[in-house]
Amino acid sequence: MTLPCDPPRGGAAARDTGTAPPPSPRAPGGAAGPGRPRRALWLAAALVTVLLVLALVSAGVGAYRIPTADVLASVQHRLGLGGAPLDRVGESVLWNVRLPRVVLAVLVGASLGCAGALMQGVFGNPLAEPGVIGISAGSAVGAVAAIGLGLGFLGNWTVTACAFVAGLFTVGAVYLLSRNGGRTEVVTLILTGIAVNAFAGALIGLFVFFADSGQVNQITFWQLGSLAQATWPKVLAVLPCALAGLIAAPLYARRLDLLALGERPARHLGIDVERLRLALILVVALLTAAAVAVAGVITFVGLLVPHLLRMANGPGHRFLVPGSALAGAVVLAGGDLAARTVAAPAELPLGVLTALIGSPFFFWLLRRTRRRQGGWA
Amino acid sequence: MSALRRGRAALFGRRPRTVPARPAPGEVLVRAEDLHVRLGEREVLAGIGLSAYAGEVLALVGPNGAGKSTLLGALAADLPADSGTVYVDGRPVSGWTAPELALRRSVLPQSAALSFPFPVADVVRMGRAPWAGTALADADEESVAAAMAAAEVTGFAGRPFSALSGGERARVALARVLAQRAPLMLLDEPTAALDLRHQELVLRVCRERAAAGDAVVVVLHDLGLAAAYADRVAVLHDGRIAAAGPPSEVFGDGLLSRVYRQPVEVFPHPRTGAPLVVPVRAEAKGEPAGNPCGPRNADGDLTSA
């Protein structure tokens, strides 16, 4: 088992062509090699710190204020590490209202961020995002159908399951409709998104039309996107979906890198592209369904987060995929805190808030992409 | 490091692959047998029989639309055969999985694209992906460095791919293919975007790989390059092989004039004896004596020389 190309020849080649051989085999990696992981570690550490701080603040801030020290003491107490419980009201507010909401924000944010990073990789297009291209709306149709038709065949998990099936169907449809020769043009993708969003909107409208007033209230909540009705059973309802997706996603990171070369070159490098594509569509549907089933349609998180991370640490998916999950959690935990406190005692719908901030960003991105490509052709 | 990689590969359920042995000199690495390929209605390849042997550079030449790139795509297992078979390393291509094929052949596509702005070093390192989890993964850094030096891209290793010129991108793509170190290299017009120096560089690299025992199949437009660097050339015409063999035997005025529908002259290089192919042109421009296009006076008449 000899090497396909023995080392002395490499040196000879370099001499022939008049270039000095690199000082060490590691040298060319210098730019991307050792520097990158260290920066990735710093970024991850910073994100975890911010997330913990946000979680602590979110747990304490609200109509019933709980000092941070007391929050920590109560958590310590429940974990059996000393500390002290709060009074009865405080304990109930913290454990039955605040914490499920924080946990849900983290789960939903992580799912959306991660789904965004995966979709951009699969579509080979930095503008792909579950909300923009209609996957969220498609999942929402499933969720709304479950409510509107009063389905309950899986108990607590019914809405999530319906959102997953509808989401899966939508991702598959968008994927088939918008790709051409292994790539997705921006125009085709956005136009497909408009069509899918319109169709999903019509279906949701139909369900609203036939629903009674109680159901209409519930459905409206989905369309705005909110975490206001967070409870532990809701957390449990989406936990399997979200966890399965979040654990599976990083396993595809290396292959997503290769997919950036295009479909054929990826296959030349040993990637079973068909299987990879199917698996990733499944994971994206899982993550989106988890987010939509419990929080409604929250757009632009999946677009914004991977973009910022790519600017900070390059496009390598081994950091980007888990990093987007982490940063998505940070964004949504922060967003929910803002939604609760900015207009207190009233509460802004979270989906409205992310869209307010996300849309201008999307617009800027469109302009930039257009400038780089010199028009849409 | 390698133990860690192998452990990770096992954890992720990757089937351990047997690394193919180095081919013996003269061994057939890829063979097409009575190959027919249809693209839509058109039969682009109409019965191709061709082999590439370890240790040789085989050039595919021919006019536009003759089926050169289609043949390369079929050899690379990108395009399914309508009838006939392509064998890689002795087995029909349909009998290999994608990861197994990646250990046996590398492919340079005609145009290099990248969806995200990876740095050049990362792009070249992607060429090592097929070896992850095998013993040869230990040679990753060394192969990447050697490939980048050979393609002269070491100087911009840290720059993002999207910031490079067309010719630089083409060389980065070549470096990625070189880093893969597969015994069979399929290159589709590797010199198309390159300047004179780098055209020569690429073909020299092909020769070096052939000398080291690999088989290189390369689509070329420049007949001069093919004549100078290929051990054998196959001239494609209308989906068939019009002639195949050493350039000195295959490149003749008659055959090339007919295939390219352009009269050509073939004569040996005064020093090396390699065949030179030059189109027959009506008149050389700017000849001093007896030139009807020579300098004219103000009335438009020819001035006397």
Side-chain angles (χ1 to χ4, degrees):
Chain A
M1 200 160 59
T2 45
L3 297 176
C5 171
D6 41 344
R9 202 161 52 82
R15 225 177 10 258
D16 280 352
T17 56
T19 342
S24 85
R26 281 232 158 243
R36 273 279 152 69
R38 206 173 306 142
R39 194 193 298 183
L41 268 181
W42 276 113
L43 258 174
L47 285 170
V48 169
T49 314
V50 174
L51 185 61
L52 286 177
V53 169
L54 276 174
L56 265 181
V57 173
S58 291
V61 170
Y64 186 95
R65 206 167 254 287
I66 308 169
T68 307
D70 292 359
V71 173
L72 281 175
S74 177
V75 170
Q76 243 181 354
H77 177 72
R78 292 256 175 153
L79 290 176
L81 298 170
L86 300 162
D87 58 77
R88 213 169 52 77
V89 182
E91 195 77 0
S92 167
V93 166
L94 180 64
W95 287 93
N96 297 330
V97 180
R98 299 268 168 78
L99 282 183
R101 187 160 180 167
V102 170
V103 171
L104 213 56
V106 167
L107 272 181
V108 168
S111 300
L112 287 174
C114 191
L118 291 181
M119 288 204 67
Q120 290 166 18
V122 183
F123 280 84
N125 187 319
L127 293 176
E129 198 258 326
V132 172
I133 66 173
I135 313 301
S136 297
S139 292
V141 170
V144 169
I147 305 166
L149 301 173
L151 300 180
F153 54 93
L154 284 176
N156 229 344
W157 280 282
T158 314
V159 177
T160 316
C162 288
F164 171 65
V165 172
L168 193 61
F169 180 79
T170 321
V171 195
V174 170
Y175 192 79
L176 288 177
L177 290 173
S178 67
R179 282 163 28 93
N180 190 4
R183 277 181 187 283
T184 314
E185 288 166 39
V186 177
V187 185
T188 322
L189 187 73
I190 304 293
L191 291 181
T192 309
I194 291 178
V196 170
N197 271 322
F199 188 65
L203 285 180
I204 293 175
L206 266 183
F207 284 116
V208 170
F209 183 70
F210 288 113
D212 59 43
S213 61
Q215 289 168 335
V216 168
N217 275 343
Q218 246 182 310
I219 290 171
T220 314
F221 146 79
W222 252 277
Q223 284 167 303
L224 291 178
S226 167
L227 292 168
Q229 295 170 30
T231 55
W232 286 119
K234 281 219 165 127
V235 171
L236 273 183
V238 295
L239 195 65
C241 238
L243 273 188
L246 289 174
I247 290 170
L251 305 184
Y252 296 101
R254 207 186 154 94
R255 276 168 275 182
L256 275 172
D257 280 353
L258 298 181
L259 205 57
L261 293 167
E263 218 158 281
R264 277 189 182 174
R267 201 175 291 128
H268 297 151
L269 289 171
I271 304 295
D272 190 337
V273 175
E274 304 301 316
R275 244 179 53 196
L276 174 66
R277 191 190 288 160
L278 274 178
L280 284 172
I281 284 184
L282 206 74
V283 173
V284 166
L286 269 175
L287 290 170
T288 313
V292 167
V294 73
V297 179
I298 294 175
T299 45
F300 295 112
V301 175
L303 186 77
L304 202 129
V305 164
H307 260 280
L308 295 178
L309 286 184
R310 238 183 249 119
M311 285 177 197
N313 193 52
H317 287 89
R318 263 166 286 185
F319 173 76
L320 190 66
V321 169
S324 292
L326 193 55
V330 169
V331 167
L332 221 64
D336 190 47
L337 181 62
R340 286 199 299 126
T341 51
V342 165
E347 188 179 319
L348 289 175
L350 182 56
V352 173
L353 195 72
T354 60
L356 266 179
I357 298 167
S359 307
F361 180 77
F362 183 56
F363 185 68
W364 170 75
L365 215 58
L366 269 177
R367 298 287 302 177
R368 201 183 64 151
T369 313
R370 187 177 191 281
R371 209 168 41 242
R372 285 205 179 155
Q373 296 184 348
W376 299 125
Chain B
M1 197 63 190
S2 71
L4 186 78
R5 277 206 202 97
R6 270 193 289 274
R8 215 166 57 172
L11 186 73
F12 292 170
R14 267 213 194 169
R15 184 154 60 99
R17 289 152 294 156
T18 44
V19 174
R22 285 292 296 160
E27 192 180 320
V28 176
L29 291 186
V30 64
R31 184 168 93 246
E33 267 181 16
D34 192 29
L35 180 67
H36 293 253
V37 173
R38 275 182 178 287
L39 293 179
E41 284 299 290
R42 205 162 80 88
E43 185 165 54
V44 184
L45 295 182
I48 298 271
L50 188 68
S51 300
Y53 305 92
E56 73 163 353
V57 175
L58 169 62
L60 305 179
V61 300
N64 294 140
K68 304 180 295 290
S69 292
T70 308
L71 176 55
L72 202 81
L75 296 179
D78 285 338
L79 299 169
D82 214 39
S83 68
T85 318
V86 172
Y87 298 87
V88 168
D89 204 0
R91 197 194 287 185
V93 281
S94 51
W96 295 112
T97 63
E100 285 168 337
L101 264 184
L103 302 182
R104 289 167 174 85
R105 62 99 179 86
S106 55
V107 185
L108 179 74
Q110 222 173 69
S111 63
L114 197 65
S115 309
F116 299 104
F118 282 94
V120 166
D122 285 8
V123 176
V124 178
R125 208 167 280 126
M126 288 178 189
R128 296 302 298 172
W131 303 99
T134 72
L136 290 189
D138 292 339
D140 279 0
E141 288 307 320
E142 185 264 319
S143 346
V144 168
M148 295 215 301
E152 295 194 349
V153 300
T154 314
F156 38 90
R159 271 162 65 187
F161 187 79
S162 50
L164 303 181
S165 76
E168 289 169 334
R169 288 181 191 198
R171 269 149 54 208
V172 171
L174 178 73
R176 173 176 66 74
V177 170
L178 289 174
Q180 195 174 339
R181 290 192 174 174
L184 170 65
M185 274 175 45
L186 304 171
L187 313 176
D188 198 351
E189 293 192 27
T191 56
L194 301 183
D195 59 30
L196 196 61
R197 167 194 169 76
H198 289 110
Q199 291 187 9
E200 295 294 320
L201 170 80
V202 167
L203 269 297
R204 238 174 9 241
V205 169
C206 290
R207 281 248 54 94
E208 282 163 11
R209 295 297 301 248
D214 295 342
V216 182
V217 181
V218 52
V219 172
L220 285 176
H221 265 302
D222 188 326
L223 298 174
L225 283 176
Y229 286 102
D231 296 296
R232 289 192 304 139
V233 292
V235 183
L236 272 83
H237 182 46
D238 285 342
R240 291 190 174 77
I241 291 181
S248 53
E249 293 171 22
V250 170
F251 283 175
D253 312 4
L255 174 82
L256 293 180
S257 300
R258 179 171 61 82
V259 165
Y260 282 92
R261 293 189 295 134
Q262 160 73 45
V264 298
E265 292 175 278
V266 181
F267 51 91
H269 186 278
R271 190 168 47 79
T272 64
L276 294 176
V277 182
V278 177
V280 177
R281 288 164 187 144
E283 265 308 329
K285 50 187 175 180
E287 298 218 312
N291 187 347
C293 308
R296 284 157 195 266
N297 63 19
D299 300 330
D301 299 326
L302 280 172
T303 54
S304 56

